[in-house]
Amino acid sequence: MDLYSLTLTEVAKKIKNKEVTIKDVLDDIYSRIGEVEPKVDAYITLTQNKAYERAEKLQQKLDNGEDIGVLGGVPIAIKDNICTNGVKTTCASKMLENHTPIYDATVIKKLEDAGAIIIGKTNMDEFAMGSSTETSYFKKTKNPWDLTRVPGGSSGGSAAVVSAQMAYASLGSDTGGSIRQPASYCSVVGLKPTYGLVSRFGLIAFASSLDQIGPFARTVEDAALMLDVISGHDKMDTTSANLEKQNYLEALVNDVKGKVIGIPTDFITDGINKEVKEAYDKAIETLKAAGAEIKEITLEYAKYSLATYYIIATAEASSNLGRYDGIRYGYRTQDFSDLEELYRKTRTEGFGAEVKRRIMLGTYVLSSGYYDAYYKRAQQVRTLIVENFKKAFESCDVIMIPTAPNTSFKFGAHNASPLEMYLEDIYTVPVNMAGLPGISVPGGFDSNGMPIGIQFIAKAFDEKNLLQVAYAFEQNTTYHKEIPKIEEGK
Ligand code: GLN
């Protein structure tokens, strides 16, 4: 058996038991990358030198009988909007093409303290704005299940490397679905933690009240382990929650007896692909058969999430991206005659079309005269959505909905209409609006062989319940065992 096809938990154990060396594991994963990456294009930067240096140190520690951590020697990939000291962090933008941070994000420190080896930085939509990874300045990442289709986005690279077995796990960021939707499109597990559970220090900001870092993994167990490592209070992030540390591995029990699963029938109406709906109905049956109680609930305001999201997210983005002015860091235009021209040309040349669209929209909704009509209203609707979920959770433990209304689409399919692309987020955005945890788990395939994801949502900081239901669902299905062929499909 090839090492690269093991799960994170399995490979970590083999390293610890000295059945393989860390160098063997690294050699194997980089040779897998050499073979598959030319087809998938999921990495922006590979970090072999650093990785081998770390491997040697970790192996020495292990050979000396020291503890190398729960992720000891395991190769992990990182979305390219998470700062890595001394390693380029580009946000897949020309604006940050040559940006090398001088510090590590807190999640990177935590991963490395647990023994992980960072093997590369993954492709994404520019500044995490998109649902297909097509807005990257560098390249288009292909879906390992069909190379003519998108991997989803914005963390498309991080989903594709786990799906194509070019990393044992990865980190992504999720502002409106960017972990869960690509996880669903690529048939891997993608977890967006509760807002505040994982530090955002060192995550390049898109929409600060919505952004959250989380893991991609091949199994729920591996995702739980990753969450265990990266979660926890951080004084460098003022929105970081100061709560007692939980042990998420305790949640890995295959038992849903007595758990109440909420099904928001008023939210899952038209617009959903027939085969996705069938997979969803089947998932309901699976959990019912495993002993869960299925309960219809209402989420009447969830349908307004998307409209609200595209006001709040763009407003925050327009402010966050104000810092890219050609003065402080990042791209600077070559040729300008005064300060205003420096700003204008730098931003015109440095940002892609989608980023500009968002900055313009965000600036508009925040401008005096429109602020009350759009931004303030959107904040009010956001409160209604929060209340809506609170009420729903009075009568159920976990909510289940599909992750996305469709499966992966062909490159360019939504080029003509950004709005169509935005609709792909309908089932993921409400979760960010309410700051809740959500997980996408492999839930089937359509007739083209493209993956379908099932999403579970829990109360804030109730990741344990979330993981338990997701784990039980996974243990009662076999979709996560299917491996992509990494070739062109229909
Ligand atoms: N697709 C959504 C957007 O374009 C979400 C992006 C994200 O979660 N980063 O804004």
Side-chain angles (χ1 to χ4, degrees), residues 79 128-131 153-154 173-178 206 309-310 358 425:
K79 186 177 183 180
M129 297 172 186
S131 305
S154 65
S173 66
D174 191 314
T175 305
S178 279
F206 163 10
Y309 169 84
Y310 276 95
R358 307 261 180 136
D425 301 335

Side-chain angles (χ1 to χ4, degrees), residues 290-343:
E293 186 189 326
I294 305 295
K295 186 159 186 186
E296 270 192 34
I297 56 161
T298 56
L299 279 180
E300 66 266 42
Y301 294 117
K303 59 175 179 286
Y304 301 117
S305 298
L306 208 60
T308 318
Y309 169 84
Y310 276 95
I311 291 172
I312 294 175
T314 56
E316 292 183 18
S318 72
S319 160
N320 274 326
L321 273 61
R323 67 186 62 145
Y324 305 107
D325 54 7
I327 308 276
R328 284 171 267 212
Y329 59 97
Y331 177 79
R332 174 183 295 176
T333 188
Q334 290 301 307
D335 159 41
F336 53 91
S337 50
D338 58 20
L339 186 63
E340 200 187 315
E341 197 181 13
L342 165 65
Y343 289 158

Side-chain angles (χ1 to χ4, degrees), residues 79-124:
K79 186 177 183 180
D80 214 17
N81 60 352
I82 299 175
C83 288
T84 38
N85 190 0
V87 175
K88 264 192 209 171
T89 300
T90 68
C91 268
S93 179
K94 180 175 179 181
M95 190 59 90
L96 294 178
E97 187 175 7
N98 296 309
H99 176 57
T100 304
I102 51 169
Y103 66 96
D104 275 322
T106 298
V107 288
I108 300 295
K109 280 210 192 103
K110 283 184 181 270
L111 283 178
E112 293 194 335
D113 286 349
I117 301 186
I118 311 299
I119 54 169
K121 304 292 297 283
T122 58
N123 198 23
M124 53 184 279

Side-chain angles (χ1 to χ4, degrees), residues 3-17 20-21 25 28 71-75 168 222:
L3 288 175
Y4 63 75
S5 56
L6 298 172
T7 67
L8 185 165
T9 307
E10 288 164 350
V11 81
K13 207 187 225 168
K14 274 201 191 304
I15 293 171
K16 220 148 278 166
N17 294 342
V20 290
T21 67
V25 173
D28 181 76
L71 300 179
V74 179
Y168 291 91
D222 288 356

Side-chain angles (χ1 to χ4, degrees), residues 4-64:
Y4 63 75
S5 56
L6 298 172
T7 67
L8 185 165
T9 307
E10 288 164 350
V11 81
K13 207 187 225 168
K14 274 201 191 304
I15 293 171
K16 220 148 278 166
N17 294 342
K18 303 210 181 144
E19 289 169 51
V20 290
T21 67
I22 300 174
K23 185 173 176 301
D24 291 337
V25 173
L26 262 194
D27 284 347
D28 181 76
I29 207 80
Y30 277 120
S31 111
R32 172 71 176 171
I33 292 171
E35 184 192 327
V36 172
E37 171 66 1
K39 291 193 243 174
V40 182
D41 278 322
Y43 280 104
I44 292 179
T45 306
L46 289 170
T47 51
Q48 283 102 326
N49 290 349
K50 277 196 163 213
Y52 277 101
E53 259 171 47
R54 249 181 85 67
E56 210 179 300
K57 283 199 192 119
L58 285 164
Q59 188 69 51
Q60 262 167 19
K61 260 177 109 176
L62 184 66
D63 293 343
N64 287 341

